[in-house]
Amino acid sequence: KQWYQRRVRGEYEKLCLEDARCKKRQLSDLLICPMQHLMRYVILLQDIQKHLPGNGSRRELLDTIETIQDSLRSLESKLNTLQNFQRLQELDNILVWPKID
């Protein structure tokens, strides 16, 4: 079953790369990433904040939104660092290093 799924995915990606309508996007470019899901919570809380009466609850919610945004920025930074490290590992595996005597 996994072999078949990989084959179908490979064929789909090949078709997308060849079809001008896809603009050379791959399947991963079309999928929603977890970071986008987390950003939706911020947008939802901002919408809720607009409709809250009183400054006290609005301020508390604004503080919560700022905390979440700070956490998301930190998470994004860590994910970028991880991706860069993975790219370096891939390059290291590709490169042939000369032997030092």
Side-chain angles (χ1 to χ4, degrees):
K1 183 177 179 178
Q2 288 179 347
W3 173 83
Y4 178 75
Q5 288 174 340
R6 277 188 248 129
R7 185 172 149 235
V8 169
R9 181 178 176 190
E11 289 174 8
Y12 174 79
E13 287 179 350
K14 183 179 175 187
L15 287 172
C16 281
L17 290 173
E18 293 171 354
D19 192 336
R21 294 175 296 175
C22 292
K23 299 178 185 172
K24 299 197 182 219
R25 291 187 194 125
Q26 294 185 4
L27 184 60
S28 59
D29 298 328
L30 302 173
L31 298 174
I32 295 177
C33 72
M35 286 294 287
Q36 290 171 325
H37 286 291
L38 294 173
M39 288 304 299
R40 288 182 182 177
Y41 293 124
V42 173
I43 294 168
L44 176 66
L45 290 173
Q46 288 170 337
D47 286 342
I48 291 171
Q49 180 202 13
K50 291 176 188 175
H51 301 287
L52 279 178
N55 290 335
S57 13
R58 290 180 91 171
R59 184 71 226 164
E60 287 178 27
L61 190 54
L62 183 61
D63 290 343
T64 303
I65 291 169
E66 289 174 7
T67 302
I68 292 171
Q69 287 175 327
D70 289 342
S71 297
L72 289 174
R73 278 190 286 275
S74 174
L75 178 61
E76 186 176 17
S77 172
K78 290 174 183 175
L79 287 173
N80 287 336
T81 302
L82 177 62
Q83 287 176 343
N84 289 336
F85 181 74
Q86 289 172 339
R87 287 182 190 136
L88 283 174
Q89 281 185 320
E90 290 172 9
L91 287 173
D92 187 45
N93 290 336
I94 293 171
L95 292 173
V96 177
W97 295 97
K99 291 183 179 182
I100 300 176
D101 294 324

